[in-house]
Amino acid sequence: MIWAARALWISFIVLWVAGASACDARGRSCRFGSDHAVYQSASAELDAVELVPRGAGVLALFSDASGLYGRELDAHGLPRARAARLGERCDAGLAAAVSGEALWLACARRAQPSDEEGAVSLYQLGIALEERARFSPVGPHSRGVSLAHHAGAVSVAWQDAAVGGARIWYASTARRAPVLLSDPGWFGSAPGLFSADKRLLALYAESQERNRSFDSRVRLLAGPESAGASTAQTVGQAHDGSPSPDLVAAQDGLWLAFRDRRKGRRKTGLYLSRLTPQGRQVGAAVRVGRADGVGRPRLCACLGGLVAATPRTFAGDYFVGVVHVDRALSQPSLEQQFYEDSHEFAQVASACLGSRMLLLISERGRPGGGRAALRSVGFTCN
């Protein structure tokens, strides 16, 4: 494996390889650790990947055409047991959350041409998966589901996409009837659910195509279990068709990540924005790197600040770039890149384990018979 940090200085690229670290303006040094093989798929691509802290390590969750799998990893990403098949594949996405001793998992499955209705299955994971609830609809082109434990209930939000449009739905174990969150006149993208300061927050993007360009808005809704979608507020605007927002929620504020293609920049970038607990923007959004890859970016509160892990491209290569930035969104570190020649790294999941962050990175098979694979790698800053 080769991983690197690239920075553009004047008119050339300086490249550090083989685990090199890069220092930001504050002298903070960040670097990858050793990477480990987690799974080799017979499919060309994985449906979804997730990481959840469990005990002294993490549980890696992933889905491909053969099913849904879980594998226990230690704090360094080294597998502690064999991969276990948990159930049928989650071709429209998966999400997981821990509440006390319980681990909850949401698996979204698309409607099939055989007229089989798509649905989100909510499971509790013990010795085996136990289905606790099922919600629909999930259309044939859906992708994305989120899960949160809040106020004694387990909530899910998901995309329901078919030809002609996509909507965002919400449901919970306390309120089984699905609630429509997104505006039917817009195309709703994969949602996120976050519990912060005794509130449940729903985050999603809505897009419209106009004159061969996109008009997109990032929407934040507090209390989806009781509030109507009309109370959602716009916390970001973009001209990318897939803003793919993510959020870090804390008592002292919110930090938003989203993709945008702005005037004067040819490539889609990842922008970070700081919000008040009420959702008002504090200062301008900051561009921290390119974000024109396949999978959605992930934002995590870790290592004394924020860490953004973003699938992206450079010169035809697909890899994952990782940037550390303080909560004031000033002086982001140089980008560390998980990269290998002739490999296409397309999706990423992350988990914070105190002084160490762990990444789960999926590789998609290249055209002509390539197979998907999954690797784990640690990330630290000093």
Side-chain angles (χ1 to χ4, degrees):
M1 165 56 57
I2 297 176
W3 47 91
R6 286 189 180 126
L8 183 61
W9 287 7
I10 308 177
S11 60
F12 61 91
I13 293 176
V14 180
L15 179 64
W16 294 267
V17 297
S21 62
C23 296
D24 61 19
R26 296 162 292 155
R28 180 182 290 269
S29 175
C30 299
R31 64 183 298 151
F32 289 117
S34 299
D35 70 297
H36 305 282
V38 175
Y39 182 68
Q40 180 69 51
S41 175
S43 303
E45 189 170 4
L46 297 179
D47 299 314
V49 299
E50 279 296 335
L51 266 183
V52 286
R54 196 176 197 192
V58 297
L59 177 65
L61 295 161
F62 43 96
S63 168
D64 66 9
S66 66
L68 167 65
Y69 294 85
R71 191 168 192 183
E72 297 276 358
L73 311 178
D74 68 16
H76 297 271
L78 185 67
R80 299 191 300 194
R82 293 184 177 183
R85 188 179 186 278
L86 304 176
E88 297 300 317
R89 73 183 295 189
C90 308
D91 58 354
L94 67 90
V98 175
S99 175
E101 297 296 320
L103 191 151
W104 294 88
L105 191 151
C107 175
R109 300 183 175 104
R110 296 172 180 154
Q112 301 299 315
S114 61
D115 292 332
E116 181 181 343
E117 184 180 44
V120 174
S121 290
L122 178 62
Y123 298 105
Q124 187 171 358
L125 179 60
I127 299 176
L129 282 184
E130 181 180 350
E131 188 176 65
R132 293 300 185 91
R134 182 177 294 190
F135 309 103
S136 60
V138 179
H141 301 300
S142 304
R143 180 175 291 274
V145 63
S146 186
L147 170 69
H149 188 275
H150 178 80
V154 181
S155 299
V156 293
W158 68 94
Q159 184 196 52
D160 165 33
V163 174
R167 301 174 294 179
I168 304 301
W169 294 94
Y170 166 86
S172 76
T173 53
R175 181 174 183 171
R176 295 297 183 97
V179 177
L180 181 64
L181 299 185
S182 59
D183 187 323
W186 294 65
F187 186 96
S189 70
L193 290 175
F194 309 89
S195 181
D197 193 23
K198 300 181 180 180
R199 299 183 302 163
L200 182 65
L201 303 175
L203 179 74
Y204 53 94
E206 297 175 325
S207 302
Q208 290 182 338
E209 188 172 5
R210 297 174 178 173
N211 300 322
R212 298 183 180 180
S213 64
F214 287 97
D215 181 11
S216 300
R217 59 188 187 185
V218 179
R219 305 280 277 171
L220 184 67
L221 176 60
E225 68 278 14
S226 57
S230 61
T231 64
Q233 55 184 317
T234 298
V235 293
Q237 294 182 316
H239 295 287
D240 186 84
S242 181
S244 306
D246 200 4
L247 190 75
V248 165
Q251 290 186 349
D252 56 339
L254 309 172
W255 286 263
L256 173 70
F258 62 97
R259 296 197 288 206
D260 193 10
R261 185 190 297 267
R262 300 196 171 181
K263 186 177 180 180
R265 293 189 179 273
R266 297 177 58 190
K267 299 294 184 180
T268 298
L270 181 69
Y271 289 81
L272 302 185
S273 181
R274 185 181 178 188
L275 310 175
T276 67
Q278 294 73 36
R280 294 189 299 272
Q281 186 170 343
V282 179
V286 177
R287 190 181 194 272
V288 297
R290 186 184 293 185
D292 59 341
V294 178
R296 64 185 302 179
R298 299 294 185 110
L299 186 65
C300 184
C302 199
L303 308 179
L306 306 173
V307 181
T310 312
R312 54 159 295 188
T313 72
F314 183 83
D317 291 326
Y318 290 81
F319 55 89
V320 172
V322 183
V323 175
H324 180 278
V325 62
D326 63 89
R327 293 194 171 201
L329 305 185
S330 63
Q331 301 175 328
S333 70
L334 297 179
E335 183 184 66
Q336 297 287 303
Q337 297 174 352
F338 191 88
Y339 166 84
E340 186 174 357
D341 286 333
S342 301
H343 291 256
E344 296 186 356
F345 297 109
Q347 298 183 68
V348 62
S350 60
C352 187
L353 302 176
S355 61
R356 173 183 302 274
M357 183 172 176
L358 197 63
L359 301 172
L360 188 64
I361 298 175
S362 76
E363 173 192 350
R364 64 179 182 179
R366 296 176 69 88
R371 295 183 177 183
L374 197 59
R375 299 185 187 181
S376 64
V377 63
F379 184 81
T380 58
C381 293
N382 300 312

